[in-house]
Amino acid sequence: YEGASELRPPRPYRLTKMLFQRASEGVYVATFNDPSLLNSWEFPRDFQEMQLLVEHVARDDRIRVIVWTGAGRAFSAGVRLSPSPGPRVAKAIWDGYVHAGIA
């Protein structure tokens, strides 16, 4: 995402369904980015992404505000009850965040 090179370690991993961009000084926009499925959530991947993003924000004192939005015509349709075979958060990435004490 935009601004990733400015962040102190540990850097967040590449998000798969969320966009996270700096909008202005201290203001960042988090966008649920799966408009074809009305930004519905898949458990556990999307919850892990959001948890890691929130933990990262909590550690970065330059971020004062997060504006949450959804791509397309819906903010979010909620949790998808039938999971897709899409990618999960890589175990090595998740373990790194657990080891760092932020997940």
Side-chain angles (χ1 to χ4, degrees):
Y1 60 82
E2 180 185 320
S5 62
E6 302 169 9
L7 299 174
R8 293 182 292 257
R11 286 185 175 178
Y13 67 95
R14 183 179 180 101
L15 301 173
T16 60
K17 284 189 52 184
M18 297 177 105
L19 301 176
F20 188 60
Q21 300 170 310
R22 181 177 184 265
S24 64
E25 187 67 34
V27 179
Y28 285 73
V29 177
T31 304
F32 302 122
N33 191 32
D34 194 2
S36 65
L37 294 173
L38 299 176
N39 302 310
S40 60
W41 285 65
E42 182 182 335
F43 185 82
R45 180 195 61 203
D46 299 338
F47 291 95
Q48 288 173 335
E49 276 200 9
M50 178 178 252
Q51 179 183 6
L52 293 174
L53 180 66
V54 168
E55 290 294 333
H56 168 74
V57 166
R59 295 169 54 94
D60 191 333
D61 57 2
R62 294 172 299 167
I63 301 172
R64 299 285 182 212
V65 175
I66 301 175
V67 177
W68 295 94
T69 187
R73 65 185 179 98
F75 173 72
S76 177
V79 176
R80 190 173 15 200
L81 298 177
S82 59
S84 70
R88 301 281 189 246
V89 172
K91 182 172 179 1
I93 294 170
W94 182 255
D95 289 347
Y97 275 86
V98 170
H99 178 72
I102 58 173

